[in-house]
Amino acid sequence: MALIFHIIRTEGPINRTDIVTRTGLSKSTVSLQINRLLSRGLIREETPGGAGKAKRKLRLELAADSGCVVGVLLGIHALTINVFNIGMATLVEGAWDMSSVIEPEPTNRFIMEKIEELFLKAGIPREKLWGIGIGFPFPVDFMKGTADSPPNVPLWNQYPLRKVYEDHFGCPVLIDNDVNVMALGEGFSGAAQEEKDFIFVKVGTGIGSGLILDGKIYRGSKGCAGDIGHIGIDGETRLCHCGNQGCLEAIAAAPAIAARGLEAAMTGESPLLEDILQSRSRITSRDVGDCAQRGDMASIRIIQESGRKIGSVLAKLVNFANPGAVYIGGGVANSGNLFLSSIRESIVKRSPHLATIDLSIRFSELMARSGPTGAGILIVDELFSFSRFQETLDHRLPAEYPPAR
Amino acid sequence: MALIFHIIRTEGPINRTDIVTRTGLSKSTVSLQINRLLSRGLIREETPGGAGKAKRKLRLELAADSGCVVGVLLGIHALTINVFNIGMATLVEGAWDMSSVIEPEPTNRFIMEKIEELFLKAGIPREKLWGIGIGFPFPVDFMKGTADSPPNVPLWNQYPLRKVYEDHFGCPVLIDNDVNVMALGEGFSGAAQEEKDFIFVKVGTGIGSGLILDGKIYRGSKGCAGDIGHIGIDGETRLCHCGNQGCLEAIAAAPAIAARGLEAAMTGESPLLEDILQSRSRITSRDVGDCAQRGDMASIRIIQESGRKIGSVLAKLVNFANPGAVYIGGGVANSGNLFLSSIRESIVKRSPHLATIDLSIRFSELMARSGPTGAGILIVDELFSFSRFQETLDHRLPAEYPPAR
């Protein structure tokens, strides 16, 4: 039943004959399971458009509105939540600024409240909530469902995130780190839909990456694969918050860009940034990106330098992992093509021909939506995985839905 | 039948009841397939040790001598060939120096002759040869079975290696690059038997790595994953044979060690190397390794410097891929623990705690045997893969073996 449902969910609308062909199961077995799925309301038939041959061709599809899931991305400065139906269409969404995520209790309480507000706002009954996926901006132990030695927010260490949400909402919850779910989202409905092996790089307050290998998140031996922000740049000595020197994140992420922008404003090297500093008393990485796009030479140099440093690290990783594509997301990705072309130039210059000849290096298509989308598909795939399918049926659908005739 | 054979091959000796339990198949189905496998001579029963209960516990195992495979590793300077039975026990082996591998025809002719000599020497009939696996010291297109833009041996480019060997020997052949099969061998019967995710690094005339992720060779999008020899070391400018500057291979592989050893001999910095130079008119990387192990300070510094450079690149890859272990093989691995500890120190210094806390960094256990072993298991696994099992039965075993009773 799980297999037949999987085919209908991912390939539907599809007719019965094609399901028989695809599975190699007998017609009677397929029919039996389809009838069970129909009676539970998890799939539906298209309205018949004719009789005879047309009727036999009646196609089956996911009953996408039978349940919904929540996809959450928590950033250091922002929270994004999407409620999707189980067909991954967005029902309602929201985004909020976060002043601080230092303490776990108030942060998680805020997230829970916002999820509940969205359900109220859209008039979705709480029993329709089947599962929640959340991306957090620090390392997590995916299997245990806890935060794992987060360097910047020590109060979260070992915090039982999955359990806290499962207890509160009474449905399955998966937690992951932010860039893993962003990568997953980009692969599901963004730029990477055709790619099996790719690296998704987030450049924001920090720098991290998610690896999708053979279509699945690759987590590594301890779950910290993709942690590229703390790769050292040889010869750089700037101190990183992690305690090491010359980490990519310390050199090329948003705070480094803002710091160099401030320098350029104070030395008068950039008149545009100087104006911004005078009117707002601070410079953000976004200011530098905006000024670069307006042609400010100092800002252009700062953005290019950041892109080149990121590219020089990515060149090494491209040599090593030979991905089909690299996608750049996160706040700094809003700095425009100048940023992307500096990254691309560094990668191509320092990688062998074979590894770059068909390598696609592009911005994320989904941008801010990649995270919630990935968190949503993470939990939908889990709910309908072969090992969890029966539990989902038993716990999420009333036994007699739609009411027995 | 393929599934039951797989269980017997990888877990045998095993009794019928356990096979029923493991597969979930009915007793009668299992019995039927076991009888077919027995009649083809691919498995055998242990000699019965008793009657009644003992007889029912009769266990099944692979008939390892029903066929054999050849595992070949071609290096730039050496050729190693092992003939294994299909249970991967070595039947006969040989190693030869190679004066040149510049031209494909004479090189491949030499390899073919040596394979045939081994069969003659061990008295193995040619029809027992079921398949050949070969590791080549340059990039190959695994799917097409050809050499792929080899930078040092341009005459091999697009050379149809698999076809040439299949035509000559009339059996399935798989080709791969050297370090992929070395990694596979180390995972099969070397240090990495318990590791699912690891990096095997070869440091010899060149530097390369094989990635085993989830127990399988990870090849990347274009088949060149693991190509770490041409990762650039920031700030280094030494010209590499690939045309780039500052590649790891140009800085830390055997030729670089030998060149620095020569310098130390000529400047008198190392009296030991000076003696060697005077008596033999040349310095090899092995000389430097030997002198380092004898306490020669200049040689120690050269070996440590190579280890540190390799470690600094591996630190970045450990951050990125979070493997469970790193194994070091290849000729330079004979330089001793000094070399290994320099690599280890650099990795630990520049990687986050979580990625290194359980990371094992060790020498290859199989060393020179890792390549032929990996090439052997590559082709054995292919012969008995579900998609090729029937073909192997049809083509490799006489229909009536053992003669029908």
Side-chain angles (χ1 to χ4, degrees), chain B residues 297-324:
Chain B
M297 284 313 293
S299 299
I300 287 175
R301 276 194 299 272
I302 295 168
I303 294 294
Q304 280 181 329
E305 186 59 17
S306 163
R308 272 197 288 265
K309 293 293 182 190
I310 293 166
S312 81
V313 166
L314 287 176
K316 300 179 210 295
L317 306 182
V318 163
N319 272 24
F320 177 62
N322 184 25

Side-chain angles (χ1 to χ4, degrees), chain B residues 194-209:
Chain B
E194 307 297 320
E195 285 294 343
K196 277 175 57 194
D197 301 294
F198 66 88
I199 306 176
F200 182 99
V201 182
K202 185 202 71 170
V203 188
T205 309
I207 295 179
S209 79

Side-chain angles (χ1 to χ4, degrees), chain B residues 8-297:
Chain B
I8 295 170
R9 175 167 86 92
T10 55
E11 300 174 29
I14 183 168
N15 64 43
R16 287 164 195 243
T17 320
D18 289 342
I19 296 174
V20 169
T21 316
R22 284 280 281 101
T23 56
L25 295 170
S26 73
K27 270 189 195 176
S28 60
T29 303
V30 169
S31 238
L32 177 72
Q33 301 302 341
I34 286 176
N35 289 340
R36 289 175 63 191
L37 288 167
L38 282 167
S39 79
R40 299 303 294 270
L42 206 50
I43 61 170
R44 64 173 162 237
E45 278 175 317
E46 288 181 322
T47 316
K53 203 171 169 188
K55 198 172 159 74
R56 264 188 288 126
K57 293 226 164 174
L58 216 60
R59 294 192 305 170
L60 299 157
E61 62 187 6
L62 176 68
D65 288 323
S66 46
C68 63
V69 298
V70 173
V72 179
L73 188 86
L74 177 66
I76 298 288
H77 301 301
L79 169 68
T80 325
I81 304 178
N82 277 43
V83 181
F84 302 98
N85 70 20
I86 55 167
M88 286 302 290
T90 297
L91 303 178
V92 57
E93 60 191 311
W96 298 266
D97 288 336
M98 298 296 286
S99 54
S100 162
V101 299
I102 299 282
E103 286 185 73
E105 279 84 2
T107 306
N108 288 313
R109 202 169 337 119
F110 185 79
I111 297 173
M112 288 171 179
E113 283 168 16
K114 293 303 160 195
I115 292 174
E116 285 166 348
E117 279 178 30
L118 286 177
F119 270 72
L120 276 176
K121 182 177 160 192
I124 305 167
R126 267 286 288 276
E127 62 270 26
K128 284 245 177 170
L129 172 56
W130 287 16
I132 303 174
I134 314 179
F136 287 98
F138 43 68
V140 302
D141 185 322
F142 177 76
M143 297 308 288
K144 278 165 60 189
T146 59
D148 198 340
S149 319
N152 306 329
V153 284
L155 294 174
W156 291 70
N157 191 25
Q158 299 303 321
Y159 197 82
L161 289 164
R162 190 174 63 205
K163 189 174 177 325
V164 163
Y165 281 84
E166 284 188 343
D167 288 352
H168 185 86
F169 287 102
C171 66
V173 174
L174 285 183
I175 67 158
D176 209 329
N177 79 56
D178 53 359
V179 69
N180 276 353
V181 300
M182 291 164 89
L184 207 57
E186 202 66 34
F188 177 71
S189 61
Q193 290 175 61
E194 307 297 320
E195 285 294 343
K196 277 175 57 194
D197 301 294
F198 66 88
I199 306 176
F200 182 99
V201 182
K202 185 202 71 170
V203 188
T205 309
I207 295 179
S209 79
L211 268 81
I212 304 286
L213 301 183
D214 209 13
K216 290 188 288 284
I217 296 177
Y218 177 74
R219 301 177 191 282
S221 159
K222 290 297 222 178
C224 62
D227 187 8
I228 64 169
H230 301 285
I231 286 182
I233 310 273
D234 308 312
E236 293 277 356
T237 54
R238 186 185 294 228
L239 195 68
C240 180
H241 59 83
C242 77
N244 263 324
Q245 289 187 319
C247 293
L248 177 62
E249 189 166 302
I251 312 279
I257 292 172
R260 286 190 188 156
L262 181 65
E263 215 175 275
M266 289 170 68
T267 58
E269 194 192 344
S270 161
L272 274 179
L273 288 172
E274 199 179 347
D275 288 352
I276 293 171
L277 183 61
Q278 277 171 0
S279 66
R280 285 195 248 133
S281 314
R282 60 194 283 260
I283 298 286
T284 66
S285 65
R286 163 149 289 189
D287 296 329
V288 182
D290 289 346
C291 291
Q293 295 197 56
R294 288 164 61 196
D296 176 64
M297 284 313 293

Side-chain angles (χ1 to χ4, degrees), chain A residues 197 211 213 218 220-228 230-232 234 245 247 316 319-322 324 350 354 358, chain B residues 197 211 213 218 220-228 230-232 234 245 247 316-317 319-322 324 350 354 358:
Chain A
D197 302 294
L211 269 81
L213 302 183
Y218 177 75
S221 159
K222 291 296 224 180
C224 62
D227 187 7
I228 65 170
H230 301 284
I231 287 182
D234 308 312
Q245 289 186 319
C247 292
K316 300 178 209 293
N319 273 23
F320 177 62
N322 184 23
R350 276 297 346 188
L354 194 59
D358 288 332
Chain B
D197 301 294
L211 268 81
L213 301 183
Y218 177 74
S221 159
K222 290 297 222 178
C224 62
D227 187 8
I228 64 169
H230 301 285
I231 286 182
D234 308 312
Q245 289 187 319
C247 293
K316 300 179 210 295
L317 306 182
N319 272 24
F320 177 62
N322 184 25
R350 276 294 349 184
L354 194 59
D358 287 331

Side-chain angles (χ1 to χ4, degrees), chain A residues 339-354:
Chain A
F339 181 59
L340 188 64
S341 57
S342 306
I343 294 176
R344 187 182 281 135
E345 199 184 295
S346 287
I347 293 178
V348 172
K349 202 166 88 185
R350 276 297 346 188
S351 299
H353 181 64
L354 194 59

Side-chain angles (χ1 to χ4, degrees), chain A residues 202-242:
Chain A
K202 183 202 73 171
V203 188
T205 308
I207 296 179
S209 79
L211 269 81
I212 304 286
L213 302 183
D214 209 14
K216 291 188 288 285
I217 295 177
Y218 177 75
R219 300 178 192 282
S221 159
K222 291 296 224 180
C224 62
D227 187 7
I228 65 170
H230 301 284
I231 287 182
I233 309 273
D234 308 312
E236 293 277 356
T237 54
R238 186 186 295 227
L239 195 67
C240 180
H241 59 82
C242 76

